[in-house]
Amino acid sequence: MPAGGREPKRKRSAPLNGGGSEVASSGLAMAPSSSVEDADALDCGVCFLPLKPPIFQCEVGHVVCSPCRDKLKATGKCHHVCGVATGSYRLCHAMERLVESIRVPCPHAAHGCTARPAYNDRDGHRPACPHAPWHCPGEACSFLGSTSALLDHISEVHSWPCITNLEADKYGEFAVHLHDGFDFLLADCPTANMKQGATATVQCLLLLTVARQPVGRTISVLCIDPHAAAAASGGDGPAASKQMECRLTYYRPWDLNDNNHHGGHQVWDHHQQSNFRVACTDLSDGMPNPDGCFQFVLTNSVIGAYYKYTGRCV
């Protein structure tokens, strides 16, 4: 306690990123959570990105990240704002310990994530967070929620067909009956060709859209993934591996009990198959333009049996 017996005043601080940031400590008794008033103090003063070890300090006391230190070292000057000449940088272990100890809530905490990543790793946690919210593909529908909430929303609010108990065979194939409009399939898709002995799977939410056309039906396939945008921009996480190859097969067999197959039915046996890539989307901008997706076309003369869908992730 300072001279005079008066305790120094403590500055009140605002929560970081909408919530308190936990400061870990192994040797001091601390409150369960603290907060940081100026989050910019945890960012590099040159590139303004969160500081990550190794962190360097100039002779004046400014701290910069390693990539910026390498750029400034060649100029012989410190921070681009102060421009003070400096001869060298040294590691700042105190700042390294500080930034590694500060924890912040996950951006998806409202959707059930309890993780508290380090402040400088929050962008690394976001693409891999299993609680990232899902968008509804319904036009003008503003739903945003967890996987289970989306599946309930699909069935209860929109009454769209949604199959969540698909059982694939040893080759990763499964047969489904499709309806006009949206058909949702929650399936464990193999991460490689099952015929080559692959056993790993990844859970995918597939949206198969059956659209009526003057000559028959078109079927398009999308993989819905809340991390799709991050993967498309080169990020890591589950979506980065969900570049899906699919095989869609339609088969109409000859019904031996149908005595009219030589009469009114011009086709009594039809097999149609296509292999194509499936786009992943987070639906944040709504449904993609159908013209940008592969469309499996069935004419009216062959429709009447079932669709056999085979998918695998590579």
Side-chain angles (χ1 to χ4, degrees):
M1 182 177 294
R6 297 182 62 184
E7 185 177 350
K9 292 182 180 180
R10 294 189 178 184
K11 194 173 184 179
R12 231 175 248 282
S13 58
L16 174 65
N17 201 30
S21 59
E22 184 176 292
V23 182
S25 176
S26 58
L28 298 175
M30 301 183 67
S33 64
S34 302
S35 56
V36 177
E37 179 178 309
D38 184 9
D40 292 342
L42 304 177
D43 297 339
C44 174
V46 178
C47 65
F48 306 110
L49 295 177
L51 287 165
K52 296 181 179 181
I55 300 172
F56 293 88
Q57 183 178 31
C58 75
E59 295 174 354
V60 179
H62 300 121
V63 291
V64 295
C65 65
S66 181
C68 290
R69 185 283 306 255
D70 295 339
K71 296 176 183 177
L72 292 170
K73 188 177 182 180
T75 68
K77 294 184 178 182
C78 176
H79 196 281
H80 72 293
V81 174
C82 69
V84 175
T86 182
S88 63
Y89 288 87
R90 64 181 184 274
L91 285 171
C92 184
H93 297 293
M95 181 60 80
E96 289 179 350
R97 292 183 61 187
L98 176 64
V99 298
E100 288 184 330
S101 67
I102 295 179
R103 303 284 168 170
V104 296
C106 170
H108 307 311
H111 301 286
C113 184
T114 58
R116 297 184 67 84
Y119 170 76
N120 58 17
D121 190 46
R122 54 182 178 172
D123 290 336
H125 168 77
R126 189 196 307 261
C129 179
H131 296 275
W134 300 70
H135 293 265
C136 175
E139 187 175 358
C141 182
S142 59
F143 172 85
L144 190 66
S146 64
T147 307
S148 59
L150 174 64
L151 297 178
D152 292 339
H153 174 83
I154 287 171
S155 301
E156 297 174 5
V157 177
H158 298 288
S159 299
W160 291 324
C162 183
I163 303 175
T164 59
N165 58 348
L166 281 176
E167 294 185 5
D169 61 21
K170 63 179 181 180
Y171 300 119
E173 300 178 355
F174 42 84
V176 294
H177 292 270
L178 302 181
H179 304 78
D180 288 348
F182 290 160
D183 295 86
F184 293 86
L185 310 177
L186 186 64
D188 290 327
C189 297
T191 55
N193 193 332
M194 297 294 281
K195 295 181 180 180
Q196 297 176 356
T199 56
T201 61
V202 60
Q203 191 173 71
C204 300
L205 180 60
L206 307 175
L207 171 56
L208 282 72
T209 304
V210 181
R212 285 179 175 268
Q213 305 294 345
V215 297
R217 304 284 199 283
T218 59
I219 305 173
S220 59
V221 185
L222 288 172
C223 176
I224 304 177
D225 193 300
H227 301 290
S233 60
D236 298 325
S241 63
K242 286 186 181 178
Q243 293 183 354
M244 181 178 288
E245 286 184 357
C246 294
R247 177 180 298 119
L248 184 61
T249 304
Y250 177 86
Y251 177 54
R252 181 176 183 176
W254 177 13
D255 187 354
L256 297 177
N257 296 320
D258 185 357
N259 296 323
N260 295 319
H261 68 270
H262 290 297
H265 299 289
Q266 296 179 349
V267 178
W268 63 84
D269 187 76
H270 178 81
H271 183 276
Q272 184 174 331
Q273 178 177 288
S274 291
N275 297 284
F276 53 93
R277 292 188 181 276
V278 173
C280 284
T281 175
D282 61 4
L283 298 177
S284 57
D285 296 324
M287 287 288 291
N289 188 333
D291 294 337
C293 305
F294 174 78
Q295 298 186 51
F296 189 88
V297 180
L298 292 170
T299 61
N300 286 322
S301 60
V302 301
I303 293 175
Y306 63 88
Y307 308 96
K308 183 180 181 183
Y309 173 83
T310 303
R312 61 177 182 269
C313 300
V314 296

